[in-house]
Amino acid sequence: MTKRSDGSEQLTVAGHPVYTFVGDKASGQTNGQNLNLNGGLWYAVSPAGTEIEGTSSTSARGGYGY
């Protein structure tokens, strides 16, 4: 966790902030996987903080999301 400028806390993995993807509507979806947005590559992570490989919601192993 890290503290944001507004005083709230932000979940981080290996020092990188973790966000939800607006295109995911259900648990386990990874529609934002491998998107190059805002100057960076985005990918889904497991609860352990490791990248979930694949490019669609059907590839999320174990039902994990962002």
Side-chain angles (χ1 to χ4, degrees):
M1 298 289 270
T2 189
K3 204 164 270 244
R4 299 173 62 148
S5 61
D6 66 1
S8 64
E9 291 186 325
Q10 172 75 47
L11 177 65
T12 59
V13 172
H16 300 284
V18 176
Y19 299 95
T20 57
F21 179 67
V22 69
D24 290 339
K25 304 298 182 195
S27 177
Q29 290 185 325
T30 58
N31 296 310
Q33 178 73 342
N34 294 322
L35 290 181
N36 192 340
L37 299 172
N38 300 318
L41 183 62
W42 294 72
Y43 57 90
V45 295
S46 73
T50 57
E51 179 180 353
I52 296 175
E53 295 182 20
T55 57
S56 71
S57 60
T58 59
S59 67
R61 293 175 294 214
Y64 303 124
Y66 290 92

